[in-house]
């Protein structure tokens, strides 16, 4: 008598490790893309290991799921951590390749980001970039390409490490509401609340580490990188509500090819009372500017394509003055803004102005000091604010009129 054996897939009950609510919301959001800035030991890795495992459990035979760490030994640690949490009957592992194949045939691979070129080529169904701030941007580009055909989701996690890096720029865009993205921040305070770390531990770290390092590592607050011309504390000290008083001066930075036209109006105390940011065709821009500015003095960026715009405005409004950006004139303008911020002579609301001020940096180059926003970020709010501050204080001899 023949016996028939029916192969049935084993039924497995999976229980997600218990995550604290903020940790869960940050990593398990419904959005395809997630970027999480976290303090050290706040539970980033644990949550992402659970996330990638769940993605793979929902996958099919042969589908690839990737965990990327900055260097190979870190990838190996994550590989071991995941393996430790899985019953041996549910997977086969390959130590030399750092892969774990689940019973459903989905393959989890643990890789290093050291050679981004090696990350191209495969179709990946979900990926985690752990310690992303320690990876080169090319690694992210490579991973992004592997997720295109599959429309796979990704989680990018890491400590904050200054401002001049791709992960910081990406986090700011996500925080600003980029569609499809979740941004979250997990700090030591969250981890203490959740009972994962003891507050004494944090107090000790604060005593032992330089303040800027401590704030980055435990509170996910970027340090100045030594390159912010305004100073982090000074930037914070000038945050206030939008003023209801009328403007006495406007600063206008005109959109170039990819950025925004930004209009900042200051009242007589130096507080921002008007703030507008838009991308319109030139005709519309000129009309809106003329309407907004009216008879109030205004300093308008006249660099490049700004020149004819300023001329058009000046035909109607005698109170409009052009400001031409050159390396030295920009430097003087920024020094004026830095002075106003450090002496508390200006106030601005929380939001995009503050983000741009935070990210703004200077670099010493062979030809002098270069002021700019980091790659991938804008500086048009900073410029408009600086022009308004300059127009208000009217520092003599500054700028090219
Ligand atoms: N929700 C939680 N409940 C209990 N323990 C947790 C929780 N989340 C994380 N942990 C524990 O806290 C420790 C740190 O977690 P994890 O390694 O994920 O943090 P991390 O943010 O990745 O840290 P690192 O900065 O070292 O990369 C681990 O021992 C982990 O098991
Ligand atoms: Mg970690």
């Amino acid at each position: 008598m023949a016996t028939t054996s029916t192969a049935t897939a084993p039924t497995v009950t999976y229980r997600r490790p218990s995550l604290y609510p903020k940790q869960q919301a940050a990593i398990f959001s419904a959005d395809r893309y997630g970027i999480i800035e976290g303090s050290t030991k706040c539970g980033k890795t644990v949550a992402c290991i659970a996330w990638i495992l769940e993605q793979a459990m929902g996958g099919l035979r042969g589908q690839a799921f990737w965990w990327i760490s900055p260097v190979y030994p870190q990838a190996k640690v994550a590989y071991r951590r995941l393996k430790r949490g899985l019953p041996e009957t549910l997977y086969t592992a390959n130590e030399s390749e750092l892969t774990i194949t689940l019973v459903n045939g989905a393959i989890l691979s643990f890789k290093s980001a050291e050679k981004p070129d090696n990350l191209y080529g495969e179709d990946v169904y979900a990926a985690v970039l752990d310690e992303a701030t320690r990876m080169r941007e090319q690694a992210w580009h490579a991973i992004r390409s592997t997720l295109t055909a599959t429309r796979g989701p990704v989680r990018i996690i890491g400590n904050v490490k200054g401002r001049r890096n791709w992960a910081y720029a990406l986090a700011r865009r996500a925080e600003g509401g980029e569609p499809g993205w979740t941004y979250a921040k997990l700090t030591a305070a969250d981890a203490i609340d959740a009972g994962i770390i003891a507050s004494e531990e944090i107090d000790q770290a604060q005593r032992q580490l330089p303040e800027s390092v401590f704030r980055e590592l435990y509170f996910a607050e970027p340090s100045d990188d030594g390159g912010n011309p305004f100073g982090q504390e000074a930037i914070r000290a000038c945050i206030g509500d939008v003023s209801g008083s009328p403007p006495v001066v406007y600063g206008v930075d005109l959109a170039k090819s990819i950025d925004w036209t930004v209009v900042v109006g200051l009242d007589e105390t130096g507080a921002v009372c008007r703030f507008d940011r838009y991308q319109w065709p030139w005709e519309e821009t000129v009309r809106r500017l003329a309407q907004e500015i009216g008879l109030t003095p205004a300093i308008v960026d006249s660099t490049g394509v700004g020149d004819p715009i300023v001329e058009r405005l000046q035909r109607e409004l005698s109170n409009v003055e052009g400001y031409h950006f050159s390396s030295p004139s920009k430097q003087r303008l920024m020094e004026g803004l830095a002075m106003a911020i450090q002496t508390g002579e200006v106030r601005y609301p929380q939001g995009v102005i503050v983000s741009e001020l935070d990210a703004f940096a200077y670099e010493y180059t062979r030809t002098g000091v270069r002021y700019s926003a980091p790659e991938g970020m804008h500086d048009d709010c900073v410029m408009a604010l600086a022009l308004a501050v300059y127009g208000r204080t009217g520092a003599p001899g500054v700028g090219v009129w």
Side-chain angles (χ1 to χ4, degrees):
M1 204 171 90
T3 47
T4 26
S5 75
T6 326
T8 47
T11 308
V12 179
T13 310
Y14 164 81
R15 204 173 307 117
R16 182 182 295 170
S18 72
L19 304 176
Y20 59 91
K22 246 185 114 172
Q23 187 184 25
Q24 162 115 1
I27 310 292
F28 286 83
S29 76
D31 282 322
R32 180 174 167 200
Y33 307 99
I35 184 157
I36 298 92
E37 295 182 306
S39 75
T40 183
K41 305 295 170 217
C42 68
K44 304 182 294 297
T45 300
V46 155
C48 282
I49 286 179
W51 181 83
I52 197 78
L53 174 62
E54 290 183 31
Q55 300 298 314
M57 287 190 319
L60 300 172
R61 182 162 304 280
Q63 288 183 346
F65 296 82
W66 281 8
W67 180 280
I68 314 294
S69 296
V71 294
Y72 183 80
Q74 287 166 322
K76 205 161 180 174
V77 170
Y79 163 82
R80 295 233 173 91
R81 278 176 84 168
L82 177 50
K83 234 176 68 170
R84 221 183 302 134
L86 278 178
E88 275 177 23
T89 50
L90 293 185
Y91 68 91
T92 50
N94 184 324
E95 282 295 318
S96 57
E97 303 258 316
L98 293 193
T99 60
I100 292 173
T101 304
L102 301 181
V103 282
N104 66 1
I107 305 160
L108 287 147
S109 299
F110 293 77
K111 293 172 175 286
S112 118
E114 280 158 295
K115 296 198 176 115
D117 282 347
N118 296 356
L119 297 171
Y120 280 94
E122 194 153 354
D123 286 340
V124 176
Y125 285 78
V128 168
L129 278 73
D130 192 15
E131 300 295 353
T133 47
R134 293 164 215 281
M135 294 177 197
R136 282 186 287 151
E137 184 168 15
Q138 286 89 326
W140 158 236
H141 293 165
I143 297 303
R144 179 69 193 79
S145 77
T146 66
L147 298 165
T148 305
T150 58
R151 298 178 171 238
V154 66
R155 295 295 176 266
I156 300 169
I157 53 172
N159 296 142
V160 166
K161 256 178 75 66
R163 295 185 164 75
R164 291 183 81 74
N165 58 77
W166 65 272
Y168 182 80
L170 205 56
R172 299 289 72 74
R173 288 220 290 277
E175 188 182 28
E178 187 93 347
W181 282 82
T182 288
Y183 164 77
K185 187 170 188 157
L186 298 173
T187 69
D190 299 321
I192 293 171
D193 284 349
I196 299 177
I197 31 182
S199 57
E200 300 86 65
E201 186 62 27
I202 307 295
D203 297 341
Q204 242 178 44
Q206 185 160 23
R207 283 195 299 275
Q208 290 161 357
L209 295 168
E211 182 66 13
S212 60
V213 176
F214 172 76
R215 300 217 66 84
E216 279 200 331
L217 270 181
Y218 287 86
F219 285 91
E221 289 173 10
S223 75
D224 277 355
D225 277 354
N228 187 293
F230 310 117
Q232 229 50 57
E233 269 181 40
I235 292 174
R236 293 273 156 308
C238 294
I239 296 174
D241 292 335
V242 175
S243 152
S245 306
V248 297
V249 67
Y250 279 101
V252 180
D253 189 51
L254 293 169
K256 297 290 145 54
S257 50
I258 47 157
D259 51 5
W260 305 74
T261 288
V262 177
V263 185
V264 169
L266 297 179
D267 72 9
E268 60 178 356
T269 69
V272 170
C273 57
R274 299 278 192 282
F275 176 62
D276 212 356
R277 187 168 177 257
Y278 47 80
Q279 285 170 312
W280 297 100
W282 285 125
E283 284 302 316
E284 180 69 18
T285 300
V286 170
R287 205 166 29 247
R288 277 179 74 132
L289 280 176
Q291 215 169 45
E292 162 94 57
I293 292 169
L295 297 175
T296 312
I299 316 292
V300 182
D301 158 29
S302 67
T303 320
V305 293
D307 197 33
I309 306 295
V310 170
E311 273 179 24
R312 294 249 320 260
L313 284 169
Q314 283 172 334
R315 257 180 261 148
E316 290 176 52
L317 311 168
S318 61
N319 46 307
V320 168
E321 311 218 33
Y323 190 100
H324 187 270
F325 287 126
S326 64
S327 226
S329 79
K330 192 167 173 180
Q331 184 171 340
R332 284 194 297 268
L333 194 70
M334 288 306 123
E335 279 159 10
L337 178 59
M339 180 69 85
I341 289 175
Q342 279 153 21
T343 54
E345 283 165 30
V346 61
R347 298 199 83 71
Y348 35 74
Q350 189 67 263
V352 60
I353 298 180
V354 175
S355 290
E356 284 192 12
L357 287 169
D358 270 348
F360 203 77
Y362 62 83
E363 273 174 330
Y364 290 102
T365 66
R366 280 175 297 116
T367 51
V369 185
R370 200 171 75 90
Y371 287 87
S372 67
E375 224 181 288
M377 290 194 70
H378 297 305
D379 63 2
D380 23 37
C381 296
V382 175
M383 292 305 152
L385 183 67
L387 288 169
V389 163
Y390 164 62
R392 184 168 163 270
T393 47
V398 178
V400 181
W401 291 74

